[in-house]
């Protein structure tokens, strides 16, 4: 278990500049360009990373294609691939403290969450897909006598993976480990504000025995490196996690290039629905506060809308605020911190603008809504709560991706469902009730890829996460994620 002394040593460690990793080697951008890496903890420049463009992406895709075609990875027995993925899991665990602190210095997630959600989840994901290698079967079709129909799974080839700045190791692993498990090669483009931990994770993969060229990484901006990956003619599948706006662009790039399959894991505006029969309301209020304010709300499934039955509305909002006001916001490298920094100055500005708009749209600001600890130079916003938010307001309809909770009362189960489903999103939801029939009815009626019942968050790698509505079109995690990264091939045989 990581302790404060260890964290305080690691937080002072020098941070080396980041390069691309192509064909197993660290390389600079062809243009020589770099990007500064700013720590959201205090606004200082930590180091710089290579700023890749189309030329670097092309080098990486060519390396990935060569590695795929010569069978150095796809040609291994599945169990042999699985052993390497499991070795990667062990290596990540062995270096968990260093990885976690490096990642926090880059993106500001509080260390108490990052240690489990980042190296912890990444290692669990590599282990899970490593164990799955060699356990998946093809199919024999129920064809007529005299014919044999076989359905084979094949890897797609070269997978492009573009990931966001929140939980880069966890989300990166969801894509990398599943794509590698079925024999593909990968070109990864991390977010420009959170590349450092992923770069180290890719080095670890090589140290654990992954052959050169199988996993390549190009850092840089979305507009340059990301778009070049999306437009590349030799990428077979693109797996993306990020905003809807960029997801739309990736679909356009695919249409303009080689019609690559594009899987999108996008944002959310997830409702937590609390009924008067939820049981211990104080415990539920603590879960609600954690569900929106941990990692300062920069969680795709954050429960950013609270729908509460009118009979307990006023009392329950007071309880949520009481828990929120006890949360420590600040230095993400202090183990006592419950909510760390906003990942970038631009994201902080966007959250504060959303708060101003919510005030103008008639929601009642009950707490927060302002920058905190500006004297540190870091980017912090305290838990923010708007009561009685109008259903049509931007606050209710648009993802803020910050520590901002909107509250709406409801009178009936039907009204709760209508409010909950009344946005374009459908990523996650929560239901709090002791009535088991009502819980099942709500699971069926809520439009969401995951519905939590009497809890919020924490679903492990064994279950899929995918968006309904405009929250996406694919799944990460579980055996279902493998389908993104393989083709079906039929052999139809006359006997
Ligand atoms: P973003 O869409 O701005 O960026 C995501 C990635 O796309 C980054 O690597 C970025 O460099 C790249 N990118 C930007 N413009 C691009 C372009 N034109 N072409 C190709 N790539 C481009 O998202 P973000 O701000 O980094 O992350 C936050 C978003 O991610 C939120 O909407 C959040 O809900 C979502 N998210 C979803 C899930 C999920 O599982 N559904 C998980 C985490 C985060």
């Amino acid at each position: 278990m990581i302790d404060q002394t260890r964290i305080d040593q690691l937080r002072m460690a020098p941070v080396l500049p980041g390069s691309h990793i192509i064909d197993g080697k660290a390389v600079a951008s062809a243009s020589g360009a770099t990007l500064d890496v700013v720590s959201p903890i205090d606004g200082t420049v930590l180091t710089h990373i290579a700023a890749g463009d189309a030329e670097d992406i092309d080098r990486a895709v060519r390396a990935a294609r060569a590695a795929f075609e010569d069978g150095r990875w796809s040609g291994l027995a599945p169990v042999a691939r699985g052993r390497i993925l499991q070795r990667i899991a062990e290596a990540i665990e062995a270096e968990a403290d260093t990885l976690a602190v490096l990642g926090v210095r880059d993106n500001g997630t509080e260390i108490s969450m990052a240690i489990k959600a980042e190296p912890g989840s990444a290692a669990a994901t590599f282990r899970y897909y490593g164990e799955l290698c060699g356990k998946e079967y093809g199919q024999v079709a129920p064809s007529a006598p005299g014919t044999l129909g076989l359905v084979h799974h094949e890897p797609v080839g070269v997978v492009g993976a573009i990931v966001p700045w929140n939980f880069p190791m966890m989300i990166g692993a969801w894509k990398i480990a599943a794509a590698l498990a079925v024999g593909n090669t990968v070109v990864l483009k991390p977010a420009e504000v959170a590349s450092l931990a992923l770069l180290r994770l890719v080095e670890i993969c090589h140290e654990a025995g992954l052959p050169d060229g199988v996993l390549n990484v190009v850092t840089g901006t979305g507009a340059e490196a990301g778009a070049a990956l999306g437009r590349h003619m030799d990428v077979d599948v693109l797996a993306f996690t990020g905003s809807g706006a960029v997801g739309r662009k990736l679909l356009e790039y695919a249409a303009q290039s080689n019609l690559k399959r594009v899987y999108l894991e996008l944002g959310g505006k997830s409702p937590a629905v609390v009924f008067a029969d939820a049981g211990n309301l104080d415990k539920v209020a603590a879960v609600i506060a954690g569900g929106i304010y941990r990692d300062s709300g920069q969680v795709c499934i954050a429960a950013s809308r609270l729908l509460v039955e009118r009979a307990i509305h006023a009392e329950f909002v007071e309880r949520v605020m009481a828990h929120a006001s006890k949360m420590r916001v600040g230095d993400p490298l202090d183990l006592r911190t419950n909510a760390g920094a906003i990942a970038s100055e631009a994201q902080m500005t966007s959250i504060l603008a959303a708060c101003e708009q919510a005030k103008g749209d008639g929601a009642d600001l009950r707490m927060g809504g302002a920058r905190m600890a500006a004297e540190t130079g870091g980017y912090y916003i305290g838990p923010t709560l708007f009561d009685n938010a109008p259903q049509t307001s931007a606050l209710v309809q648009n993802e803020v991706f910050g520590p901002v909770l909107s509250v709406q009362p409801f009178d009936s189960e039907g009204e709760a469902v209508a409010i909950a489903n009344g946005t374009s999103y459908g990523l996650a939801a929560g239901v709090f009730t002791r009535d088991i029939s009502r819980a099942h009815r709500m699971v069926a009626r809520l439009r969401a890829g995951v519905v939590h019942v009497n809890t919020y968050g924490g679903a492990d790698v064994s279950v899929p996460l995918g968006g309904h509505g405009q929250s996406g079109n694919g799944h990460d995690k579980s055996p279902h994620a493998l389908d993104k990264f393989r083709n079906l091939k039929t052999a139809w045989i006359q006997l």
Side-chain angles (χ1 to χ4, degrees):
M1 191 57 200
I2 195 164
D3 63 28
Q4 195 61 48
T5 312
R6 176 93 176 117
I7 293 169
D8 291 340
Q9 282 163 357
L10 290 170
R11 74 183 296 162
M12 305 310 293
V15 183
L16 297 175
S19 314
H20 311 307
I21 301 175
I22 299 177
D23 211 9
K25 289 160 210 68
V27 291
S29 289
S31 69
T34 60
L35 287 173
D36 281 348
V37 176
V38 176
S39 176
I41 297 176
D42 55 10
T44 55
V45 174
L46 268 181
T47 185
H48 59 262
I49 53 170
D53 61 17
E55 198 174 339
D56 305 298
I57 288 288
D58 190 51
R59 267 196 296 173
V61 173
R62 277 190 279 121
R65 176 60 62 190
F68 180 72
E69 295 298 339
D70 72 14
R72 73 186 81 162
W73 183 248
S74 59
L76 295 183
V79 287
R81 286 201 297 269
R83 272 197 295 275
I84 294 179
L85 296 184
Q86 291 179 67
R87 279 213 294 274
I88 293 171
E90 280 157 28
I92 292 170
E93 276 166 351
E95 224 179 272
D97 295 359
T98 320
L99 280 167
V101 172
L102 179 64
V104 171
R105 292 171 77 186
D106 206 3
N107 79 351
T109 301
E110 61 275 7
I111 187 75
S112 57
M113 180 180 239
I115 189 80
K116 295 186 205 121
E118 281 283 85
S121 292
T125 300
F126 274 95
R127 179 165 293 115
Y128 182 86
Y129 285 109
E131 287 171 353
L132 214 50
C133 286
K135 296 194 175 72
E136 291 269 309
Y137 292 78
Q139 289 174 321
V140 180
S143 58
T147 57
L148 178 61
L150 302 179
V151 184
H152 298 285
H153 287 129
E154 289 187 342
V156 292
V158 176
V159 171
I162 302 180
V163 297
W165 42 258
N166 67 326
F167 308 111
M169 280 186 270
M170 174 174 78
I171 294 173
W174 289 348
K175 305 204 187 298
I176 298 166
L180 294 181
V182 290
N184 298 289
T185 59
V186 176
V187 176
L188 171 70
K189 210 299 279 176
E192 49 273 50
V193 297
S195 297
L196 299 176
L198 265 177
L199 283 171
R200 178 63 199 135
L201 189 144
V202 172
E203 285 173 357
I204 287 174
C205 291
H206 287 98
E207 290 161 12
L210 194 70
D212 291 349
V214 172
L215 172 58
N216 307 275
V217 52
V218 174
T219 54
T221 65
E224 287 275 344
L229 192 56
R231 291 195 171 108
H232 202 285
M233 293 298 288
D234 204 24
V235 170
D236 298 292
V237 159
L238 194 81
F240 172 74
T241 296
S243 61
V246 174
R248 284 184 160 75
K249 287 188 187 169
L250 295 173
L251 292 172
E252 282 177 28
Y253 301 157
Q256 290 157 4
S257 57
N258 63 341
L259 290 176
K260 59 179 71 62
R261 297 208 307 254
V262 178
Y263 294 101
L264 305 174
E265 310 296 333
L266 307 176
K269 194 74 206 181
S270 301
V273 184
V274 179
F275 289 94
D277 67 359
N280 184 329
L281 291 183
D282 203 50
K283 278 195 181 149
V284 176
V287 173
I288 295 294
I292 177 64
Y293 299 128
R294 292 299 307 275
D295 197 20
S296 294
Q298 301 162 102
V299 178
C300 57
I301 61 162
S304 54
R305 291 187 291 150
L306 168 61
L307 279 51
V308 57
E309 194 163 354
R310 197 177 302 277
I312 57 165
H313 171 204
E315 173 203 350
F316 192 75
V317 168
E318 291 296 333
R319 288 184 191 272
V320 173
M321 290 197 301
H323 284 285
S325 59
K326 279 188 257 159
M327 292 177 79
R328 290 174 70 117
V329 181
D331 179 6
L333 286 171
D334 184 330
L335 270 170
R336 296 166 302 175
T337 295
N338 304 116
I342 307 299
S344 67
E345 189 170 15
Q347 183 62 17
M348 178 178 70
T349 305
S350 147
I351 296 167
L352 293 174
C355 292
E356 287 310 306
Q357 174 158 9
K359 285 187 222 165
D361 286 346
D364 306 330
L365 177 64
R366 299 288 305 275
M367 69 187 297
R371 184 175 184 181
M372 286 176 55
E375 69 286 355
T376 62
Y379 315 132
Y380 301 95
I381 297 175
T384 299
L385 188 144
F386 283 95
D387 202 357
N388 299 309
Q391 174 70 6
T392 53
S393 64
L395 178 64
V396 168
Q397 294 297 323
N398 300 337
E399 185 181 49
V400 174
F401 219 54
V404 183
L405 179 65
S406 68
V407 184
Q408 296 170 278
F410 66 84
D411 289 301
S412 67
E413 204 177 298
E415 192 192 3
V417 171
I419 296 172
N421 289 348
T423 75
S424 63
Y425 295 103
L427 189 57
V431 182
F432 294 82
T433 176
R434 307 317 297 180
D435 176 340
I436 190 164
S437 302
R438 169 180 270 164
H440 282 292
R441 281 197 302 274
M442 292 298 285
V443 169
R445 296 177 76 186
L446 287 170
R447 187 177 67 179
V450 52
V451 181
H452 306 88
V453 178
N454 295 327
T455 185
Y456 204 89
D460 68 19
V461 64
S462 65
V463 288
L465 174 63
H468 296 189
Q470 292 183 30
S471 287
N473 64 3
H475 292 99
D476 280 321
K477 307 195 296 172
S478 85
H480 296 285
L482 299 178
D483 290 336
K484 296 191 296 193
F485 301 119
R486 56 192 182 189
N487 289 326
L488 293 179
K489 178 179 277 177
T490 296
W492 184 254
I493 300 165
Q494 186 65 50
L495 298 176

